[in-house]
Amino acid sequence: MSLNDTISGVGTVFVQGLFLSLGLIVAIGAQNAFVLRQGLRREHVASVVAFCALADALLITAGVLGMAQVVGERPALAKALALGGAAFLAVYGWRALHRARQASTLDVTESGQSLGPIAAMAQAAAFTLLNPHVYLDTVLLVGSIGAQQPAPLQGWFAAGASVASLLWFSALGFGAHWLAPWFARPRAWQVLDALIGLTMWVLSLLLVRHVVNGL
């Protein structure tokens, strides 16, 4: 494989991981609302952002490496997980497009009791680690899709997915005063959901193509 092919492969896998993670994490939910609230209040923003991004990165890396080990010598299982992931992404994309037809907002205010550093980190940990969807998204889904990549590129896939978390939580925390009014507009979430839905469908088709090419 030439250097150009290697660079192209790294870039493609990195971008796939980036967009997959963004599609899963950009949503109206308790964790995002908490990070946005801390950003609005300017309380322990760096610590909260770092914790959420690092937790995602560790779970994503564990998922990709763990699933790669599980399916490494089981091609039938790898294909089954790939098709299952493609189906999940297709349904997830359909749900996002369905949400795009409805009006919803992420409306967070600066009111409420001030949190100390320990309390803020405890809440960040609870919103991150006590949510079962976090493990479904990072360990199972992202992990199984990352495990489909060639072994030398799996780390780049995990890196792309981890960078997506870092970018998103940083934007929420440090850009809260700019993003909060925007996220309070139903139209903004409708556009985001439409983009997420289309992205998930593209990723689903790529997974199906990967399985078909491997037959």
Side-chain angles (χ1 to χ4, degrees):
M1 181 180 291
S2 68
L3 178 60
N4 287 338
D5 290 338
T6 301
I7 294 174
S8 176
V10 168
T12 299
V13 168
F14 184 90
V15 169
Q16 284 185 23
L18 181 77
F19 278 99
L20 174 62
S21 184
L22 281 176
L24 294 171
I25 199 173
V26 178
I28 296 175
Q31 184 190 43
N32 287 336
F34 174 72
V35 176
L36 189 61
R37 175 188 179 276
Q38 292 303 109
L40 287 171
R41 295 179 64 89
R42 294 186 172 92
E43 289 180 353
H44 322 297
V45 179
S47 299
V48 168
V49 167
F51 178 88
C52 292
L54 181 60
D56 269 9
L58 291 175
L59 290 171
I60 287 167
T61 302
V64 172
L65 296 180
M67 294 301 293
Q69 185 174 4
V70 168
V71 305
E73 298 179 355
R74 302 173 179 86
L77 177 60
K79 291 175 182 177
L81 286 174
L83 291 175
F88 179 90
L89 292 178
V91 173
Y92 193 99
W94 178 85
R95 292 177 61 186
L97 292 172
H98 181 70
R99 289 197 308 268
R101 300 171 57 188
Q102 304 170 347
S104 56
T105 63
L106 180 59
D107 193 5
V108 181
T109 66
E110 299 180 51
S111 60
Q113 185 178 2
S114 179
L115 296 177
I118 296 178
M121 295 305 293
Q123 288 198 26
F127 286 127
T128 302
L129 302 177
L130 297 183
N131 179 4
H133 290 289
V134 168
Y135 302 96
L136 173 64
D137 292 346
T138 57
V139 177
L140 185 58
L141 181 61
V142 177
S144 62
I145 295 176
Q148 309 298 322
Q149 312 300 327
L153 300 179
Q154 289 169 1
W156 289 103
F157 182 91
S162 300
V163 166
S165 292
L166 178 60
L167 292 176
W168 174 248
F169 288 126
S170 296
L172 279 181
F174 298 109
H177 281 273
W178 179 76
L179 288 175
W182 195 73
F183 283 160
R185 302 172 185 169
R187 184 64 177 170
W189 282 102
Q190 289 176 308
V191 171
L192 271 177
D193 280 330
L195 291 174
I196 288 170
L198 294 175
T199 299
M200 291 306 189
W201 278 1
V202 169
L203 292 174
S204 177
L205 290 174
L206 289 175
L207 266 182
V208 172
R209 188 182 72 172
H210 172 78
V211 173
V212 171
N213 289 341
L215 295 177

